Amino acid sequence: MFSLAKSGCIFLTEYSFQERNNIALYMANASSWSRRKFIRSMAISGAGMALVSTPFASLAFDDIDPRVTKIVVETLGIDTHNHIDVPMVTGEMPGPDVKLSEAMIKSGLAAICMTFAVDYRKLDEPGMAYERFLNGLSSLDQQLKNSGMKRSYNVADLLAAHKAHQPTVIQAVEGAHFLEGKTERLQVAYDRGLRLITLLHDSDASVPLGDVFTNPVRYNGLTPFGADVIRECERLGIAIDLSHADVATVTGALKVAQKPVLISHTGLDTQVGSNDFMAKMMAPRLISKEHAKFVAGTGGVIGVWTHLADSALEYAQNIRAMVDVVGIDHVCIGTDTKLTPPYNSPDDRTHHADFGPKPGEKLRDGSVAGSEHGNKPDGSQGKKTQGPMNDGRKDGFRASGSNQNWPEQKSGFYYAVVEAMLKTGFNAEEIGKIGGGNFMRVFGEATMSK
């Protein structure tokens, strides 16, 4: 029967997988069942009161196509880059309960790569990046405990969680700033649950790993330390994400890496959307067809983000564009959004770091940076600027989080995306690959036991 977790999330623990499938389809069959009828029917089995108090009760069952729900249930939907904001300053920890499991159940996602970054503030003291990293993990430990959730360390864990209908996370970090030149810290990170690392973020680490694509060329690609980090990650079983790396750095990394890599969140430079402001700002963060083919040619996978897409359908079309370039086996979902509310740290506001070129520095187009240059970080916690979190829109839908990316979105994220992908011509098998299967292949190779 139904069991109710501490977080209020409902899990179908004593039903077979097929029975759970049928119940999910039952919930979505708008042609013959309303939400009220469904709840009444579940009350017969003693589950009605539990259901009313769960996140499922807030879903618009009547509006979900049963074909969509069937795909959501049968596939492992994984967002390979989702920011979960938490305090990283000791005095602010562990922060408010973000109700992660509720957000995930509403989304339809089976897992997210739960990401955070330490460089939202200026890292101006030795050891600060490492302290913020460890504090961030501790805060996330508490959030998982609040939601009765666990991290998944490998593909077997992902499959087990999905079979049990329990949402799960893969621990990720964006930027290797916390290493501060010490590869031995990767073992500590691994022991704390880290399984995915984005080598670079917006700012350079104190001991750089390579060139950030929004900054001027400073290191001519992957640095020796960056190469050492890749080798140690592969030894331990930590997947490599090359988001934010320029072409020279990606080229160097692919020469070092012995396993497929990920670019978790980007888009093709041909898919710029209709917002001129956003198109100009995001242009350095997009990749060319040649760049995409290079990564896919080594077995890698590229996550398409939701930026520059004004609807779920446009997002699905951006996915289609990437598939047309690299093939169905090399594309995944990587939204670069937030399932849970932003956290706005007073410490970050006080010591906010600027990113990008410094005045007088030579830019990639040959010009010289003036005082007006520079940019803010992608996922700046709680930062309500006209930037990546709201795509420059007045309505601020992007700031509402992954489950309300677009104005017309009436269901959770993965439900909306699956529906749009069906409309774009993808079949269930293809959606399963893009939804999570392709990422699991790369993640599985990276975390495979030796």
Side-chain angles (χ1 to χ4, degrees):
M1 62 184 295
F2 291 93
S3 66
L4 195 61
K6 291 180 181 179
S7 62
C9 303
I10 196 165
F11 299 109
L12 310 178
T13 55
E14 294 179 24
Y15 281 76
S16 69
F17 181 77
Q18 187 58 51
E19 287 170 331
R20 292 194 294 265
N21 243 7
N22 292 339
I23 290 171
L25 291 173
Y26 207 29
M27 292 162 60
N29 194 343
S31 63
S32 60
W33 283 91
S34 68
R35 174 179 175 274
R36 181 174 296 177
K37 286 180 180 178
F38 172 75
I39 292 175
R40 285 177 179 172
S41 71
M42 296 319 297
I44 296 173
S45 67
M49 292 306 296
L51 178 65
V52 171
S53 65
T54 71
F56 281 126
S58 66
L59 293 179
F61 298 143
D62 296 355
D63 296 332
I64 302 177
D65 186 328
R67 297 176 305 160
V68 171
T69 306
K70 186 174 189 295
I71 293 172
V72 169
V73 170
E74 291 182 346
T75 63
L76 273 81
I78 302 174
D79 183 351
T80 64
H81 193 79
N82 198 289
H83 286 265
I84 303 301
D85 287 354
V86 291
M88 288 174 273
V89 178
T90 302
E92 301 173 20
M93 294 169 61
D97 184 1
V98 300
K99 302 185 185 303
L100 178 57
S101 60
E102 292 186 16
M104 288 196 63
I105 287 176
K106 181 177 180 180
S107 75
L109 292 165
I112 62 168
C113 293
M114 181 172 68
T115 305
F116 72 108
V118 305
D119 65 333
Y120 293 135
R121 63 102 75 206
K122 189 174 183 180
L123 303 172
D124 49 6
E125 297 179 14
M128 178 181 291
Y130 190 46
E131 179 183 5
R132 285 171 63 82
F133 173 71
L134 295 177
N135 284 348
L137 288 176
S138 295
S139 293
L140 289 169
D141 288 344
Q142 184 61 49
Q143 294 299 335
L144 293 175
K145 183 178 180 181
N146 292 345
S147 283
M149 292 173 59
K150 296 180 179 180
R151 293 181 176 90
S152 286
Y153 303 120
N154 48 48
V155 169
D157 289 346
L158 290 171
L159 294 173
H162 185 245
K163 184 177 180 180
H165 276 229
Q166 295 179 348
T168 187
V169 300
I170 296 165
Q171 185 61 64
V173 67
E174 189 169 27
H177 303 76
F178 71 96
L179 296 177
E180 297 177 312
K182 300 177 180 179
T183 56
E184 60 268 25
R185 289 181 180 174
L186 286 168
Q187 180 69 63
V188 177
Y190 180 87
D191 293 341
R192 290 290 303 270
L194 186 71
R195 291 298 182 273
L196 175 62
I197 185 170
T198 309
L199 297 184
L200 308 177
H201 194 209
D202 288 302
S203 68
D204 291 329
S206 59
V207 179
L209 290 84
D211 282 305
V212 178
F213 54 18
T214 49
N215 294 339
V217 176
R218 294 166 178 161
Y219 313 108
N220 295 314
L222 188 74
T223 67
F225 179 63
D228 289 343
V229 169
I230 291 174
R231 294 187 188 99
E232 181 63 5
C233 283
E234 290 194 332
R235 185 189 72 81
L236 290 169
I238 300 174
I240 299 293
D241 182 355
L242 296 180
S243 300
H244 292 271
D246 72 355
V247 173
T249 302
V250 171
T251 300
L254 293 180
K255 290 179 180 178
V256 174
Q258 301 298 303
K259 298 178 181 179
V261 301
L262 173 74
I263 294 182
S264 66
H265 56 293
T266 187
L268 284 175
D269 60 11
T270 57
Q271 308 299 115
V272 297
S274 58
N275 186 315
D276 291 339
F277 171 83
M278 283 300 298
K280 181 178 180 180
M281 188 182 76
M282 302 299 274
R285 306 169 187 271
L286 303 174
I287 63 175
S288 67
K289 293 180 179 179
E290 292 70 24
H291 188 156
K293 288 177 181 177
F294 191 28
V295 173
T298 61
V301 174
I302 301 165
V304 179
W305 60 12
T306 53
H307 305 314
L308 303 177
D310 290 331
S311 66
L313 186 60
E314 189 173 350
Y315 177 56
Q317 291 166 347
N318 289 347
I319 291 174
R320 168 62 72 186
M322 187 69 78
V323 169
D324 288 345
V325 171
V326 300
I328 194 68
D329 296 320
H330 301 282
V331 181
C332 64
I333 291 171
T335 67
D336 192 28
T337 61
K338 304 179 184 186
L339 266 174
T340 57
Y343 178 78
N344 199 345
S345 169
D347 183 68
D348 290 357
R349 292 198 305 269
T350 304
H351 303 94
H352 200 284
D354 289 322
F355 300 85
K358 300 175 177 62
E361 198 169 18
K362 185 176 181 181
L363 303 178
R364 290 176 181 263
D365 63 4
S367 62
V368 177
S371 59
E372 75 280 6
H373 288 89
N375 62 297
K376 302 300 180 185
D378 273 350
S380 182
Q381 300 198 155
K383 189 87 173 160
K384 294 184 179 179
T385 58
Q386 191 180 46
M389 288 307 297
N390 61 19
D391 275 10
R393 299 173 182 154
K394 293 180 181 179
D395 55 41
F397 274 96
R398 197 62 78 171
S400 298
S402 314
N403 280 324
Q404 198 175 5
N405 265 294
W406 303 287
E408 82 287 357
Q409 187 176 337
K410 294 182 174 63
S411 57
F413 171 77
Y414 193 44
Y415 290 93
V417 170
V418 168
E419 181 180 21
M421 291 181 72
L422 286 171
K423 292 178 179 178
T424 309
F426 290 103
N427 60 39
E429 181 182 0
E430 292 170 332
I431 293 172
K433 287 185 174 185
I434 295 168
N438 293 336
F439 168 77
M440 286 203 297
R441 171 179 57 79
V442 171
F443 183 64
E445 289 191 48
T447 58
M448 189 180 299
S449 299
K450 297 181 180 179

